[in-house]
């Protein structure tokens, strides 16, 4: 096989097959974040897109879990404005409310305190940097004020560590307790 054909084959995506839910989108954003994180590129050349991917992953995973657990929590918390909301703290609080209602209602005896603590830490870290999903996409806000000052830094290693510690709560734990 010639190199162009091999390259073309490797770069051909069946996006229709892999775009059926926000959960699928979220997982692709996380995969892209991980690929950049594991890349040998200097972090200062990819940090903003990395963090946009991380933040959007969190937003989509929260929305997906809220919609899923609302079926079982008997709460409509956040459902009416889910597509309009982008604030991670509000989405995280709604997700935790649904999760707690489902756990109580269905007698899910699971010690989730450590997971929730790590998840809250991750949400707080990302929210402090980008409350409205704009700081990683644009250099300035609508009033032309820079999002970041010259000396601002970001510990992406710590953010990745928090993601790994909370991953079980945001993805695996809800999947383990799927209620039919």
């Amino acid at each position: 096989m010639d190199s162009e054909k091999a390259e073309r084959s490797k770069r051909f995506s069946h996006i229709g097959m892999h775009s059926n839910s926000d959960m699928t989108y979220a997982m692709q954003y996380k995969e892209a974040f991980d690929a950049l994180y594991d890349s040998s590129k200097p972090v200062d050349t990819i940090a903003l897109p990395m963090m946009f991917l991380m933040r959007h992953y969190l937003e989509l995973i929260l929305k997906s879990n809220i919609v899923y657990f609302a079926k079982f929590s008997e709460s409509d918390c956040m459902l009416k404005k889910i597509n309009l909301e982008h604030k991670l703290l509000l989405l995280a609080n709604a997700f935790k409310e649904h999760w707690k209602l489902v756990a109580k209602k269905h007698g899910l005896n699971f010690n989730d305190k450590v997971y929730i603590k790590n998840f809250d830490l991750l949400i707080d870290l990302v929210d402090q940097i980008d409350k409205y999903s704009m700081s990683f996409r644009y250099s300035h806000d609508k009033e032309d004020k820079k999002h970041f000052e010259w000396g601002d830094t970001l510990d992406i290693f710590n953010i990745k560590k928090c993601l790994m510690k909370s991953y079980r709560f945001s993805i695996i734990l809800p999947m383990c307790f799927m209620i039919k």
Side-chain angles (χ1 to χ4, degrees):
M1 183 183 286
D2 68 18
S3 63
E4 183 178 330
K5 190 173 181 180
E7 185 67 18
R8 183 179 298 274
S9 175
K10 190 167 111 177
R11 305 293 178 203
F12 190 83
S13 174
H14 298 278
I15 61 171
M17 286 187 229
H18 302 286
S19 61
N20 54 335
S21 72
D22 281 345
M23 180 68 81
T24 304
Y25 272 58
M27 296 315 297
Q28 287 194 24
Y29 277 99
K30 184 189 175 300
E31 285 293 320
F33 170 84
D34 288 342
L36 286 176
Y37 185 88
D38 293 336
S39 145
S40 61
K41 298 280 186 188
V43 74
D44 282 333
T45 66
I46 57 175
L48 296 171
M50 280 178 69
M51 290 308 301
F52 172 76
L53 294 168
M54 166 61 71
R55 193 194 185 289
H56 203 56
Y57 156 75
L58 290 170
E59 182 178 330
L60 290 175
I61 213 68
L62 287 167
K63 288 179 176 184
S64 184
N65 281 333
I66 290 167
V67 169
Y68 177 76
F69 282 115
K71 298 172 194 172
F72 308 102
S73 68
E74 298 179 3
S75 169
D76 66 351
C77 177
M78 191 61 71
L79 284 179
K80 292 182 177 135
K81 59 181 182 175
I82 193 126
N83 292 324
L84 302 173
E85 190 56 67
H86 303 284
K87 296 177 189 162
L88 292 180
L89 285 177
L90 292 177
L91 292 167
N93 288 337
F95 166 52
K96 288 185 294 186
E97 178 182 319
H98 285 285
W99 167 252
K100 287 176 183 178
L101 288 169
V102 168
K104 183 177 179 181
K105 180 180 174 190
H106 295 279
L108 302 177
N109 252 348
F110 184 81
N111 186 356
D112 58 7
K113 287 178 183 23
V114 172
Y115 296 116
I116 290 174
K117 179 183 171 190
N118 288 320
F119 184 71
D120 286 345
L121 180 60
L122 176 62
I123 295 297
D124 288 342
L125 277 169
V126 176
D127 184 70
Q128 287 172 21
I129 305 162
D130 190 3
K131 282 194 187 316
Y132 305 105
S133 188
M134 295 293 176
S135 300
F136 300 128
R137 297 192 298 165
Y138 307 104
S139 62
H140 291 71
D141 65 15
K142 292 177 183 177
E143 287 78 42
D144 204 34
K145 182 179 181 294
K146 276 188 67 178
H147 288 293
F148 301 110
E149 297 301 320
W150 181 259
D152 288 348
T153 60
L154 182 58
D155 186 352
I156 296 174
F157 175 80
N158 190 45
I159 290 170
K160 171 74 171 184
K161 196 166 92 178
C162 288
L163 169 66
M164 297 320 296
K165 287 182 178 180
S166 65
Y167 187 70
R168 189 170 245 159
F169 181 66
S170 61
I171 295 289
I172 298 168
L173 193 60
M175 291 168 114
C176 290
F177 292 110
M178 285 192 168
I179 303 160
K180 307 253 178 190

